[in-house]
Amino acid sequence: MAGRLEGKVAIVTGAGASGPGMGNGKACAIHYAREGARVYALDINRAALADTEAIIKREGNTVVGAVCDVTNSEALARMVQDCVQAFGRIDVLHNNVGILDLDGPVALPEPIWDRVIDTNVKSMYLTCKHVLPVMERQGKGAIVNISSVAAIRAWGTPALAYNTSKAAILQLTRSIALEYARKGVRANVVLPGVIDTPLINEPLKPHHTPEEIERIRAERHNMIPLGRMGDPFEIAKAAAFLASDDASYITGAELIVDGGLTSNCIPTW
Ligand SMILES: NC(=O)c1ccc[n+]([C@@H]2O[C@H](COP(=O)([O-])OP(=O)(O)OC[C@H]3O[C@@H](n4cnc5c(N)ncnc54)[C@H](O)[C@@H]3O)[C@@H](O)[C@H]2O)c1
């Protein structure tokens, strides 16, 4: 049976993971390839990227990997050229890169604010800047941006720059969706809840014993109405739907993938 993304070319940013295990971008790159896409995977971390490439190739699917910093406009312009040279077109732009800070306005150092906003939001403006002309020429394309439930709900931890960046992604996506609707390009956003990836597990390691980490992980599972943290492939499957022609009448939309977390007005933690 043909996959949802058969014949399509998909760029996935942040296609590695920031530690051992599966990240959202890594799962998306692997899943898009399983659904038939030829994947152009990029990440700033060569080793993390190599792992994703190896998995995709081992499964007999097609991937080209590129080491690239999504805050570097010139590098992104080269990456887009390289992708078009390799595969002839760009059907899907999946903007996954995001970094986390855990400070409020007074403690947060200004350079960290800039780094988070540049990495999480400016990067999406830049990838769109370089990819949209290709999609416009094709008369077709789909953009999937990864935000977070932190865009719409407080979660009890100060993370000013992260929360602000994730909220900005919603309006960035709507603005592009409207400007490009008549040009055949759709843009949508996914808001993941608590997903069991290195992004949220690695920061625990320097500060907690393995027993404490297990307790924190159990609490995280317990606070979700469905009773568990999400799996990165559950983000990938939602994103693949939005990237595919099955979502042909969906643009400017926000898809919350959070096991019911944001529906719960009385938090369980
Ligand atoms: N894990 C969660 O609970 C959760 C919840 C909501 C939203 N998200 C979002 O999902 C996305 C991915 O999260 P994850 O948990 O898979 O993270 P992750 O840290 O495991 O993976 C992110 C990848 O992005 C790469 N990266 C970082 N900076 C980069 C840059 N400047 N240029 C290129 N690549 C860069 C990293 O090397 C890493 O491989 C992020 O946008 C995050 O905010 C995650």
Side-chain angles (χ1 to χ4, degrees), residues 14-19 23-25 42-45 48 68-71 96-99 119 146-149 162 166 192-200:
S18 58
N24 290 331
L42 67 93
D43 202 284
I44 200 168
N45 179 329
C68 179
D69 179 347
V70 291
T71 64
N96 163 77
V97 170
I99 57 172
T119 306
I146 301 298
S147 173
S148 165
V149 293
Y162 183 79
K166 291 300 179 181
V194 184
I195 312 301
D196 198 2
T197 72
L199 180 81
I200 64 164

Side-chain angles (χ1 to χ4, degrees), residues 81-249:
Q81 262 182 359
D82 188 47
C83 179
V84 172
Q85 207 162 15
F87 293 135
R89 54 188 296 111
I90 303 171
D91 299 288
V92 177
L93 168 63
H94 179 99
N95 278 315
N96 163 77
V97 170
I99 57 172
L100 183 61
D101 76 287
L102 291 174
D103 276 314
V106 176
L108 181 66
E110 199 178 323
I112 303 291
W113 165 273
D114 288 342
R115 195 162 81 86
V116 172
I117 299 296
D118 282 359
T119 306
N120 295 8
V121 189
K122 188 179 173 192
S123 67
M124 295 195 184
Y125 142 67
L126 289 175
T127 55
C128 289
K129 184 180 184 63
H130 296 299
V131 168
L132 277 166
V134 178
M135 290 182 167
E136 193 176 347
R137 275 199 299 278
Q138 294 167 179
K140 195 169 180 193
I143 297 169
V144 180
N145 292 330
I146 301 298
S147 173
S148 165
V149 293
I152 54 169
R153 295 286 189 281
W155 45 291
T157 311
L160 185 76
Y162 183 79
N163 295 348
T164 306
S165 73
K166 291 300 179 181
I169 291 167
L170 305 185
Q171 194 59 5
L172 177 141
T173 308
R174 288 184 206 115
S175 304
I176 290 169
L178 289 178
E179 187 181 342
Y180 282 83
R182 299 289 175 98
K183 297 171 179 167
V185 180
R186 296 180 298 103
N188 293 292
V189 62
V190 175
L191 284 73
V194 184
I195 312 301
D196 198 2
T197 72
L199 180 81
I200 64 164
N201 290 320
E202 290 300 303
L204 298 175
K205 289 184 180 167
H207 307 291
H208 298 282
T209 64
E211 294 72 33
E212 285 170 342
I213 290 175
E214 273 321 295
R215 185 182 47 72
I216 292 167
R217 286 176 51 73
E219 282 168 6
R220 286 175 176 174
H221 284 306
N222 193 41
M223 75 188 204
I224 312 294
L226 282 183
R228 60 176 178 82
M229 288 189 269
D231 181 278
F233 282 101
E234 292 175 312
I235 301 303
K237 287 174 187 170
F241 164 66
L242 291 174
S244 77
D245 293 342
D246 288 346
S248 51
Y249 201 56

